[in-house]
Amino acid sequence: MLPFDAVLCDLDGVIRHFDHVAQAEIEARYGLPLAKTAFDPRLIDPATLGRITEQEWIESVALALGGDDVARQAVAEFAGVSFWVDEEVRAVLAAAQALVPLIIVTNAMDTVEEHLDRLGLTYFADALVSSARVGVAKPDPRIYHLAAEVAGAAPERCLFVDDRLENVTAARELGMTGVHYRTLADLTAVLG
């Protein structure tokens, strides 16, 4: 038995990982501040809130970097880096899911379902709560309440896992048990 009625888990940085070495190499090769520009809240927030598509976000980043063919190519390569599933994390979460609902709670773009399909995760979780679909993003308390409701659990009976401390802090403020994920040991310490 688990001391929780549901597990709410972030996607990126916990289950799914991107090739940051490749991203840094692309940035160095082009001599452009790709990461800083791509993750500027003025550019990424509209995409993660579902106001623009991933393709529109890519175009906005290219425009912010000058809008020429070189900027467009650099951004396309940066956005297209490979990603993969941490199978050890997946196994721990699957074991927990045998006991309680597992909900993926992610600040994502409109392509998240396509990405889950490419990773073989379409039917992995019991539900997906995506910021692009619900119009609110972590650490906004509304997305946590929505995820708990989808799980059919009271917030104080939910375990929330995320690699960003501010998201974990927000969950804890709602009474959830929060795990700041950095390594597999952080997850196994609470889920076994």
Side-chain angles (χ1 to χ4, degrees), residues 2-188:
L2 291 177
F4 316 106
D5 294 336
V7 175
L8 314 179
C9 188
D10 181 33
L11 178 63
D12 294 326
V14 180
I15 301 170
R16 172 172 72 167
H17 298 274
F18 287 85
D19 189 341
H20 296 299
V21 172
Q23 287 176 326
E25 186 276 327
I26 294 164
E27 192 169 68
R29 185 162 28 93
Y30 284 96
L32 293 171
L34 291 163
K36 181 179 178 184
T37 306
F39 299 112
D40 180 325
R42 293 170 297 176
L43 298 181
I44 199 162
D45 286 357
T48 57
L49 291 172
R51 296 180 187 142
I52 63 172
T53 65
E54 180 181 44
Q55 199 54 50
E56 290 169 324
W57 167 73
I58 288 170
E59 178 62 16
S60 74
V61 175
L63 288 172
L65 292 169
D68 60 12
D69 290 344
V70 171
R72 282 189 169 76
Q73 180 63 33
V75 173
E77 287 182 34
F78 185 84
V81 297
S82 62
F83 49 81
W84 65 91
V85 172
D86 183 323
E87 293 297 341
E88 291 179 312
V89 168
R90 181 180 183 160
V92 171
L93 291 173
Q97 186 186 20
L99 303 171
V100 299
L102 170 66
I103 312 299
I104 294 176
V105 185
T106 182
N107 289 353
M109 297 186 198
D110 65 317
T111 53
V112 67
E113 292 91 351
E114 173 192 320
H115 290 192
L116 290 173
D117 189 52
R118 284 173 44 197
L119 291 167
L121 294 176
T122 298
Y123 302 106
F124 173 63
D126 294 292
L128 168 69
V129 176
S130 165
S131 62
R133 301 293 180 220
V134 300
V136 291
K138 298 174 291 183
D140 187 314
R142 293 176 292 175
I143 198 166
Y144 300 90
H145 283 293
L146 181 59
E149 185 179 313
V150 167
E156 61 275 9
R157 295 289 302 158
C158 292
L159 172 68
F160 178 79
V161 182
D162 202 294
D163 64 315
R164 297 181 61 95
L165 184 57
E166 63 267 26
N167 295 340
V168 175
T169 299
R172 288 176 179 155
E173 288 171 358
L174 297 175
M176 294 181 177
T177 299
V179 172
H180 182 206
Y181 181 86
R182 290 150 300 200
T183 68
L184 184 65
D186 296 320
L187 193 57
T188 58

